[in-house]
Amino acid sequence: MLIKYFNPANFLLLGSCLLAIGIPCDGFIRGFENAGLISILLSSILNYRNFRKENLLNPINIVLAALFLLCVFGYLYTSNIEELNRKTALKVLLILFPIAFSCAPPITPRVKRISFLLFLFTTMIISWLTCIDY
């Protein structure tokens, strides 16, 4: 019964929706971004048979890895190691996203539409709350 829900496409949809909520948010709700990445990683694990090494070399994956390496190179010239440790820990996600998306199933138009609408709705709610606060 539950096996039909434990498929890569469902976890990709869940992860995309959680990312769409977590990206525009700050504070506690930002944890949705990490939960979304974990869900997409789980989708990739379930879809491991379709893994191709060529996907890791996509230009966007190389850019994300280069951004992470910029943080690591910061250790050569920083005077505040604690702050750089904190920032580098936040950037570890830049390494996990290429791994997750290179193994994940293809993103369907339905997943794109739902994620985009959730992102717009979340951003709209945040802007309304910001306007009310000011």
Side-chain angles (χ1 to χ4, degrees):
M1 178 79 176
L2 286 177
I3 201 74
K4 74 176 187 176
Y5 296 109
F6 285 107
N7 64 32
N10 286 346
F11 282 106
L12 181 68
L13 174 63
L14 175 66
S16 298
C17 291
L18 290 172
L19 278 175
I21 293 169
I23 287 174
C25 295
D26 197 18
F28 171 74
I29 297 176
R30 193 157 207 184
F32 280 96
E33 189 175 351
N34 294 335
L37 177 61
I38 290 169
S39 180
I40 293 171
L41 282 169
L42 185 56
S43 169
S44 299
I45 290 169
L46 293 173
N47 195 45
Y48 71 93
R49 289 188 177 131
N50 295 330
F51 173 72
R52 291 178 291 167
K53 290 181 183 177
E54 306 86 51
N55 291 346
L56 284 174
L57 298 176
N58 285 341
I60 189 67
N61 293 343
I62 293 170
V63 168
L64 290 173
L67 285 173
F68 179 74
L69 287 176
L70 283 175
C71 289
V72 173
F73 287 139
Y75 284 101
L76 298 175
Y77 60 86
T78 189
S79 60
N80 190 352
I81 294 289
E82 294 82 23
E83 181 66 18
L84 189 60
N85 284 340
R86 187 184 69 77
K87 287 184 177 183
T88 304
L90 291 173
K91 300 291 189 273
V92 168
L93 294 176
L94 293 174
I95 295 296
L96 294 178
F97 274 110
I99 294 169
F101 280 106
S102 64
C103 299
I107 298 175
T108 62
R110 176 180 170 255
V111 170
K112 286 180 187 177
R113 186 175 49 254
I114 291 171
S115 301
F116 185 67
L117 290 173
L118 258 174
F119 177 76
L120 288 177
F121 181 74
T122 305
T123 306
M124 180 183 66
I125 294 295
I126 291 170
S127 20
W128 280 350
L129 292 174
T130 303
C131 286
I132 290 169
D133 187 44
Y134 287 113

